[in-house]
Amino acid sequence: MELHDVWFVLIAVLWTGYFFLEGFDFGVGILTKLLARNRPEKRVLINTIGPVWDGNEVWLLSAGGATFAAFPEWYATLFSGFYLPLLIILVSLIVRGVAFEYRAKRPEENWQRNWETAIFWTSLIPAFLWGVAFGNIVRGVKIDKNFEYVGTFWDLLNPYALLGGLVTLTLFTFHGAVFTALKTVGDIRERARKLATVVGLVTAVVALIFLLWTQVDSGDGKSLVALVVAVAALVAALVANQAGREGWSFALSGITIVAAVAMLFLSLFPNVMPSSLNGEWSLTVTNASSSPYTLKIMTWCAAIATPIVLLYQGWTYWVFRKRIGTQHIADAVH
C-alpha cells in the first residue's frame, strides 16, 4: 500500500472519530430544545458534554490539517468550492463554543435562554450541513480539467446531498439521545430512551434509503458489507435501547456511524473528489497528494502524537463517566 493510500485511510479514520464523538454532542445540543422541559434539565444536558465537547472538536482540526498536508489539491478544491457551507459550519462551531463558555457568566434568564437557543441552532446546523457536504463529495461535483470547482452554491443542494444531511441530522440526534440516557438518571433518562426510539426509527428509514442509493450509484462489495453492518448495528441499537441497555445501545449507534462513514469512503476510493463533468478530471489519491517525503514525515509525526491524544482523551471520559441528574444542579436543589 502506498503512503497516499495510507493517508486516505487515516483521514477516513479521523472523520469517523469526529462524527462518532461530535455526533453525540451535536445530538445533545439539539435535545436541549426537544427533550429538556425546564432550565435545570437543560443544564443537565449541557453538563453531560461540558467536559468533552471541546476535545471532540480536536478530531475536526486533525482531519482538516491532515487533508491540507496530505492532499493539498483536495483541500484547496474542497474549501474553495464548498466555501459558503463550510463557513456556516465554522461560524456555528465558534458561536457554539462561546455559548458553552458564556451561558453561565450571568444569572439573568434572558441571557441564559439566548445562549441555550444558540447551542441548539449551532448544533443542528452543522449536523445537517456535514451530511450535505459529504453527500456532494461522494456523488461528485463540477470540477474542471484544472481541478477547480466551477459549480455554484445551489448545485450543492441536490436531492442526494440533502438526504445525506437528513441522515446525519437524525443519526446524530439519535446518538445524542442514547448518550443522554447513558449519562443521566431519573425522569430525563426515561424520556431520552423514549425519544431515542422515535428518532431511531426515523433514522433507520432515511439512512437505509441514502445508503442504498449510494451503493447503487457508486458502491462495490466492500461498501455493501459496510452498509449491512450499519443497518444491523442501528437495528440492534434500537433493540438495546428498548431493553434499557444504554451502554450497548450507545456502542451500537457508534458502530452505525463508523460503518456508514466507512461505506462513504469505500465508495469514494480511489477518488477523493469525483468530477461530475468528466471522470478524468476527478481528484484522486494520486493526483491530489503531497510528495512521498512529506507523507513520510507526516506518518512519523502521527505515529508519535496520536497515541498521546487518544490516551488523554480517554482519560477525560473516564474521569467524567458518572451519571448526573437535576439533583446535582445547585439551583434546582435550592
Side-chain angles (χ1 to χ4, degrees):
M1 181 181 288
E2 299 289 337
L3 277 179
H4 50 66
D5 296 331
V6 172
W7 273 96
F8 178 84
V9 174
L10 291 177
I11 289 172
V13 170
L14 290 171
W15 279 111
T16 302
Y18 174 67
F19 288 141
F20 180 99
L21 296 172
E22 191 83 314
F24 72 73
D25 70 42
F26 280 150
V28 172
I30 294 169
L31 292 177
T32 57
K33 286 286 188 183
L34 303 182
L35 182 64
R37 292 176 174 173
N38 50 48
R39 176 130 301 109
E41 289 191 352
K42 288 184 179 180
R43 289 182 62 183
V44 168
L45 290 176
I46 293 172
N47 287 355
T48 61
I49 59 174
V52 298
W53 68 267
D54 48 356
N56 294 343
E57 290 189 356
V58 170
W59 289 78
L60 173 61
L61 299 177
S62 300
T67 303
F68 171 77
F71 299 100
E73 283 284 356
W74 184 12
Y75 183 92
T77 303
L78 176 64
F79 278 79
S80 60
F82 292 21
Y83 181 82
L84 184 55
L86 292 178
L87 178 62
I88 294 172
I89 290 173
L90 178 60
V91 172
S92 295
L93 294 179
I94 292 172
V95 174
R96 188 168 183 264
V98 173
F100 281 125
E101 297 295 335
Y102 276 74
R103 178 195 161 278
K105 296 296 184 183
R106 290 170 57 177
E108 291 89 344
E109 184 173 345
N110 285 341
W111 171 273
Q112 296 189 2
R113 183 187 299 114
N114 289 338
W115 285 120
E116 289 163 358
T117 300
I119 290 172
F120 169 76
W121 285 109
T122 55
S123 298
L124 185 149
I125 292 171
F128 176 74
L129 288 182
W130 279 127
V132 174
F134 271 84
N136 278 292
I137 291 173
V138 174
R139 172 180 175 269
V141 292
K142 294 179 179 179
I143 299 175
D144 65 11
K145 62 182 179 180
N146 297 316
F147 302 133
E148 294 181 1
Y149 179 73
V150 293
T152 66
F153 169 75
W154 302 109
D155 291 328
L156 303 177
L157 303 181
N158 54 81
Y160 176 80
L162 292 174
L163 181 60
L166 288 177
V167 171
T168 52
L169 177 60
T170 55
L171 182 55
F172 291 170
T173 305
F174 172 69
H175 198 40
V178 172
F179 179 78
T180 299
L182 177 65
K183 287 287 293 179
T184 58
V185 294
D187 182 55
I188 193 170
R189 174 188 177 188
E190 297 302 319
R191 284 188 282 115
R193 285 175 50 200
K194 292 179 181 178
L195 183 60
T197 299
V198 175
V199 176
L201 291 173
V202 175
T203 303
V205 174
V206 294
L208 182 60
I209 296 172
F210 178 76
L211 295 179
L212 285 175
W213 190 344
T214 303
Q215 179 64 28
V216 171
D217 190 48
S218 56
D220 57 15
K222 294 178 182 178
S223 62
L224 180 60
V225 172
L227 185 156
V228 172
V229 172
V231 173
L234 181 56
V235 172
L238 283 166
V239 173
N241 178 68
Q242 281 292 97
R245 303 296 297 273
E246 291 100 343
W248 279 105
S249 185
F250 178 71
L252 288 163
S253 67
I255 291 173
T256 302
I257 293 175
V258 171
V261 176
M263 181 188 176
L264 295 183
F265 276 93
L266 287 169
S267 300
L268 191 59
F269 186 81
N271 295 321
V272 295
M273 209 164 179
S275 172
S276 59
L277 300 178
N278 188 328
E280 295 182 358
W281 298 343
S282 297
L283 289 169
T284 68
V285 292
T286 304
N287 64 25
S289 69
S290 293
S291 67
Y293 182 73
T294 300
L295 296 177
K296 185 177 180 180
I297 296 298
M298 289 176 59
T299 303
W300 279 106
C301 293
I304 296 171
T306 303
I308 298 173
V309 174
L310 293 176
L311 283 172
Y312 81 68
Q313 191 164 22
W315 177 78
T316 302
Y317 278 92
W318 174 256
V319 170
F320 295 99
R321 66 189 181 279
K322 292 185 178 180
R323 296 177 182 266
I324 61 174
T326 53
Q327 67 270 26
H328 300 117
I329 304 300
D331 291 349
V333 174
H334 298 292

